[in-house]
Amino acid sequence: ALRTNAALLEANAQLVVSSLRAHGDVEACAKRLEAASRASEHDALTELPNRALLRDRLEQAIVHARRDGALLALLFLDVDKFKEINDTLGHAVGDQALKQAARTLVSTVRAGDTVSRHGGDEFLILLAGVSNASDAAIVARKVAAALLIVGPPGDGVPPLSASIGISVYP
């Protein structure tokens, strides 16, 4: 009877340890899956939403705009003379400039708006729920002004400027 009891206690202990290991494995897999999912929806350099995530948010915004009779605006922003930064200062400095531009764009718009990197030096800004078309122009001017101070003194990055196109729906 003692052998049976000892064997049962040993088996129970092994089950508890196995259960704890399995739980840890499940948590680790869930974290890796979440990281992979995030990576598939965000730009690796700037960590902004990528084209796929922006498209999803744009489709949702259009549905809400139709339902609510509201407007939305999409700003297409191209950083001016960015190739010159890469060519003269190097890609590492260009990458830093893009990261700073991304942070500046995000801090310039409302929390509910979406700033995404379209590719290279192009960004899209989705402004949901704008009151009128002129609001988008105000935001575009604000964004352009904020970019002019992106390059901090001494880092070799000149102030950035951008060409911005605006589309309003509907």
Side-chain angles (χ1 to χ4, degrees):
L2 281 176
R3 257 189 204 161
T4 306
N5 246 359
L8 286 174
L9 287 173
E10 177 64 26
N12 189 43
Q14 288 177 0
L15 283 172
V16 169
V17 168
S18 293
S19 175
L20 290 173
R21 283 186 184 142
H23 183 70
D25 290 345
V26 166
E27 284 181 353
C29 285
K31 286 181 182 177
R32 284 193 293 268
L33 182 60
E34 183 179 326
S37 175
R38 178 163 173 76
S40 73
E41 295 179 333
H42 289 80
D43 176 64
L45 179 67
T46 62
E47 298 180 7
L48 292 175
N50 63 15
R51 290 179 190 195
L53 184 53
L54 175 74
R55 182 182 178 107
D56 180 62
R57 290 186 182 173
L58 178 59
E59 289 171 356
Q60 290 178 29
I62 289 171
V63 167
H64 290 292
R66 281 183 187 152
R67 182 189 67 211
D68 301 337
L71 300 175
L72 68 88
L74 190 63
L75 279 59
F76 181 88
L77 183 145
D78 183 74
V79 178
D80 296 330
K81 301 179 183 174
F82 185 75
K83 185 177 181 327
E84 290 178 24
I85 293 173
N86 273 341
D87 290 348
T88 59
L89 302 173
H91 290 279
V93 173
D95 287 351
Q96 290 306 313
L98 287 174
K99 288 178 186 179
Q100 183 61 38
R103 287 189 294 270
T104 299
L105 295 174
V106 169
S107 69
T108 304
V109 299
R110 302 171 300 183
D113 297 329
T114 299
V115 176
S116 72
R117 183 167 175 220
H118 191 64
D121 62 344
E122 299 170 341
F123 296 88
L124 288 166
I125 303 173
L126 173 60
L127 306 172
V130 294
S131 299
N132 55 58
S134 64
D135 291 345
I138 292 169
V139 172
R141 282 192 293 278
K142 194 171 145 186
V143 163
L147 282 176
L148 286 174
I149 56 171
V150 164
D155 70 356
V157 178
L160 300 177
S161 62
S163 300
I164 303 174
I166 302 170
S167 178
V168 177
Y169 175 87

